[in-house]
Amino acid sequence: MSYASHLQCRECRHEYELKPIAACEECWAPLEVIYDYGRLWSDLRRQEIATRPPNMWRYRELLPVIEEPSVGHQTGFTPLFPAPRLARALGAKEVYVKNDAVNHPTLSFKDRVVAVALSKAREFGFNTVACSSTGNLANAVAAQAAAGGFSAFIFIPADIEREKIIATEVFGAKLVRIDGNYDQVNRLCSEIAMKYPWGIVNVNLRSYYSEGSKTVGYEVAEQLGWRLPQNIVIPMAGGSLITKVHKAFEDLKKLGWVEPVSTRFFGAQATGCSPITTAAKKGDPEIIPQKPNTICRSLAIGNPADGPFAVKTILESGGAGEDASDDEILEGIRLLAETEGVFTETAGGVTVAVTRKLIRQGLLNPEESLVLVITGNGLKTLSAMTEPVQETTVIRPKVADFEEHYLAETAAPV
Ligand SMILES: Cc1ncc(COP(=O)(O)O)c(C=O)c1O
Ligand SMILES: [Zn+2]
């Protein structure tokens, strides 16, 4: 059962009942789900959470789904593990990886937001769902629409990674490829939302959908033994995830489930699409839209809806924003793979590369605890890896060939 009570405008504070609505009707600002923390505080103990199944619905009182969730029963509670070899490479002391590259069912953190959005779509009586996406959301909506028995229309820029196109189409969703960038696709989706009675995940279901991202924050705290990290690095596209992890940490402090540590939030983007980190570096929440040009397609949103809120989250926490070039992103992917055995997509490469830069610049204290949020799987962006994958030698099935090619320069086996 949920303790969500109403929606509230983030700017003018106007209140709305819990209904499918895209933005504040007074000032067009985004809406936030508000909970009854007083009642939650007296009704729920963190010890009870620990007894529940390992998926994101263990925090269901803190999510806006009122009825039994209809999809995503296995989503969330992904591993959080200490990463000592990555820590050594970064020159840091206490590093953890939160690995949403293995989220269920489509290997990115977007499975969480879609589990909430489609459960809400069912509650509101929508039979058709839709989204605009840079790729991962497309995969997640298509998969969970199939599992939940919804029709789905998925709008994407035509030229995103082939892997993400195939991993959307396979679920039987109607894939609409648009000759344009994400911001143009998103605008089209907003126009369609006004015309058709559909549940559009990132338009009229947006305030609910984005709440799913809070579960990353709840899990990080619970998996650290109900402790907040001193620092966290999060990749940003629309800028929602970083603000929702912040909201999650604040929720846990309000409930008295964690010590009131102030976590510094660090936002990561690709240099070829860095409207939020550029604003953070200037110390000004105003976002100047950009035309994306980066291999990191999942983060390629030039005019991010939650950009100003993401900048405020970063600056008010005492963190910083930084971006990584395409070469640095590929190095970041390899560094995580070679040190911790985790193959992340380009967005994870951004997170690792930006962490390294922030430590080198002295903006992130390597003596303090640090969580890297890895949000997607490397098998979904193989096409971005073409350059650094060397042509490897092929040998005949002979021991002599093996020894000649692989052991000639090393000591002979004992
Ligand atoms: C893999 C991955 N990481 C991070 C993000 C950023 O999330 P947000 O748009 O909430 O900032 C996205 C968004 O598409 C994504 O696909
Ligand atoms: Zn308003």
Side-chain angles (χ1 to χ4, degrees):
M1 159 201 188
S2 172
Y3 284 64
S5 57
H6 59 279
L7 297 174
Q8 188 178 49
C9 173
R10 281 197 217 159
E11 294 290 353
C12 76
R13 307 282 155 195
H14 196 89
E15 294 186 359
Y16 298 87
E17 62 183 86
L18 296 167
K19 61 181 182 179
I21 171 175
C24 177
E25 286 161 0
E26 306 288 323
C27 74
W28 296 109
L31 300 169
E32 192 69 34
V33 179
I34 306 296
Y35 297 82
D36 185 346
Y37 291 106
R39 216 154 51 80
L40 246 170
W41 184 82
S42 60
D43 287 1
L44 188 63
R45 295 282 168 274
R46 69 180 198 197
Q47 288 79 354
E48 186 183 333
I49 302 283
T51 66
R52 296 180 179 176
N55 63 65
M56 61 180 274
W57 298 109
R58 66 205 268 116
Y59 313 105
R60 58 177 299 180
E61 287 88 346
L62 290 149
L63 295 170
V65 175
I66 290 153
E67 294 165 13
E68 202 44 43
S70 47
V71 291
H73 295 110
Q74 280 79 38
T75 301
F77 222 72
T78 55
L80 175 122
F81 58 89
R85 283 172 44 78
L86 176 63
R88 212 168 307 132
L90 293 171
K93 207 165 162 184
E94 188 187 354
V95 176
Y96 302 87
V97 167
K98 176 61 174 167
N99 187 13
D100 260 24
V102 291
N103 210 351
H104 181 87
T106 66
L107 310 177
S108 90
F109 93 97
K110 294 286 183 184
D111 291 320
R112 300 169 184 275
V113 285
V114 171
V116 174
L118 297 205
S119 294
K120 256 348 247 182
R122 172 92 352 113
E123 282 181 16
F124 290 135
F126 293 116
N127 297 318
T128 299
V129 292
C131 71
S132 52
S133 172
T134 56
N136 284 310
L137 183 62
N139 298 167
V141 171
Q144 296 198 42
F150 293 93
S151 296
F153 286 90
I154 315 280
F155 297 82
I156 54 167
D159 60 351
I160 63 167
E161 297 91 344
R162 211 168 150 260
E163 298 86 334
K164 284 182 181 157
I165 293 176
I166 296 167
T168 302
E169 225 168 13
V170 71
F171 299 110
K174 292 178 194 74
L175 187 61
V176 187
R177 294 173 69 197
I178 312 284
D179 178 17
N181 62 32
Y182 174 82
D183 298 289
Q184 293 166 305
V185 174
N186 196 39
R187 206 167 314 127
L188 170 68
C189 239
S190 303
E191 287 171 32
I192 286 172
M194 289 192 258
K195 234 180 139 177
Y196 295 92
W198 296 347
I200 305 194
V201 166
N202 42 4
V203 182
N204 56 352
L205 298 176
R206 186 173 180 86
S207 39
Y208 307 101
Y209 135 101
S210 55
E211 287 287 286
S213 291
K214 288 195 306 179
T215 59
V216 173
Y218 300 140
E219 289 174 19
V220 165
E222 185 180 352
Q223 290 168 318
L224 287 174
W226 295 109
R227 186 167 65 97
L228 299 181
Q230 289 161 298
N231 303 282
I232 191 162
V233 184
I234 298 179
M236 306 183 294
S240 175
L241 174 62
I242 194 165
T243 62
K244 293 294 176 169
V245 172
H246 179 264
K247 184 178 181 184
F249 287 0
E250 294 304 306
D251 284 353
L252 296 177
K253 287 185 214 172
K254 279 188 202 138
L255 292 171
W257 292 3
V258 293
E259 291 295 319
V261 168
S262 38
T263 303
R264 271 178 286 279
F265 282 77
F266 295 89
Q269 293 204 291
T271 306
C273 183
S274 50
I276 306 179
T277 56
T278 302
K281 285 181 190 176
K282 277 200 258 168
D284 179 354
E286 194 197 339
I287 299 289
I288 298 168
Q290 295 183 0
K291 266 222 155 67
N293 180 16
T294 166
I295 57 163
C296 186
R297 307 305 308 271
S298 55
L299 301 184
I301 297 185
N303 191 10
D306 289 296
F309 304 101
V311 175
K312 280 186 209 155
T313 298
I314 292 167
L315 297 179
E316 286 169 11
S317 76
E322 186 52 277
D323 52 77
S325 69
D326 287 355
D327 283 345
E328 289 168 335
I329 294 168
L330 294 172
E331 281 168 27
I333 292 174
R334 288 192 163 272
L335 182 62
L336 182 64
E338 289 174 8
T339 54
E340 297 296 338
V342 169
F343 184 20
T344 182
E345 72 144 81
T346 46
V350 166
T351 301
V352 176
V354 160
T355 304
R356 182 153 74 172
K357 285 175 95 162
L358 288 166
I359 290 174
R360 284 182 180 163
Q361 292 161 2
L363 292 171
L364 204 166
N365 183 348
E367 297 299 311
E368 296 180 343
S369 59
L370 165 65
V371 171
L372 271 67
V373 179
I374 299 300
T375 47
N377 194 295
L379 294 174
K380 293 214 255 175
T381 58
L382 290 176
S383 38
M385 300 287 293
T386 45
E387 276 285 316
V389 176
Q390 298 126 0
E391 284 297 319
T392 41
T393 315
V394 176
I395 60 169
R396 292 176 304 167
K398 307 259 181 222
V399 171
D401 272 29
F402 166 66
E403 288 174 345
E404 184 194 330
H405 283 93
Y406 292 93
L407 300 181
E409 282 160 33
T410 57
V414 211

